[in-house]
Amino acid sequence: STNDRIHWFTLSSAWDTSTASYSGSYLSVNAQDTSPRKFNFNPSGTRMYVLGDTNNKIFQYNLGDSTNPTLSTVSPLDNSVDVLIGSNLTLTFDEDVDVETGNILIKRTDDDSTFATIDVTGGQVTGTGTDVITINPTVDFAYGTQYYIQIATTAFDDLNGNSYAGITDTTSWSFTTEQAVSSGGSN
């Protein structure tokens, strides 16, 4: 319970723990419960059930999944224009994900300066345990400005510990904000 992780071991002989070797893989259950207590498996070994003491719930995990989560959609869409300056950013994944560690960078395209650095474990990132993650920048975007988003490769894992690849380039997710409305005067 120190790290809220479940580690995988392989036995070369069934039920003989002296033949166990660590696989190097683990599953973090921290996003569901910080005090995992009991574990059980279905008869085929493809699902694991964890009893959490903090939330008093039973969580189910699919053990056969080794596929990394991918983004289905983002909002605003890549290359969008006229995005409202007060917009949130939304990531929709192909499966449920948990927040892990790392930062989301919002950068200005014109000079690569960092507009915002958002820690995924902070209050600006919501939706852990679901397939939709919402990022709420604390400051509005500037008018008529193009931005791009970068996401750490350590930011999100699926419920089986498979990591989202992140965004490290400057072109995968970019958008341009709305132009300022000028108030015209009359003579």
Side-chain angles (χ1 to χ4, degrees), residues 63-180:
L63 299 179
D65 176 18
S66 62
T67 304
N68 293 335
T70 59
L71 280 176
S72 299
T73 60
V74 293
S75 177
L77 293 173
D78 183 36
N79 294 320
S80 291
V81 294
D82 293 328
V83 172
L84 298 176
I85 62 167
S87 294
N88 286 338
L89 307 176
T90 305
L91 308 164
T92 303
F93 289 91
D94 63 340
E95 61 182 312
D96 292 349
V97 295
D98 287 329
V99 168
E100 295 298 326
T101 62
N103 293 321
I104 296 168
L105 300 177
I106 304 172
K107 301 189 100 172
R108 291 176 61 116
T109 302
D110 60 355
D111 62 3
D112 292 318
S113 64
T114 301
F115 171 76
T117 300
I118 300 172
D119 183 343
V120 296
T121 63
Q124 293 173 260
V125 177
T126 58
T128 191
T130 71
D131 65 343
V132 177
I133 299 293
T134 302
I135 302 144
N136 182 4
T138 57
V139 178
D140 284 352
F141 296 108
Y143 285 106
T145 305
Q146 186 177 32
Y147 295 92
Y148 64 91
I149 310 301
Q150 294 183 327
I151 302 172
T153 59
T154 58
F156 304 105
D157 285 356
D158 69 13
L159 302 183
N160 292 309
N162 303 307
S163 297
Y164 167 59
I167 300 174
T168 57
D169 61 56
T170 62
T171 58
S172 290
W173 186 14
S174 64
F175 57 89
T176 304
T177 54
E178 63 189 326
Q179 297 296 321

Side-chain angles (χ1 to χ4, degrees), residues 25-39:
S25 298
Y26 66 86
L27 168 67
S28 173
V29 296
N30 184 277
Q32 290 78 38
D33 202 288
T34 57
S35 295
R37 292 293 178 245
K38 304 274 183 187
F39 309 90

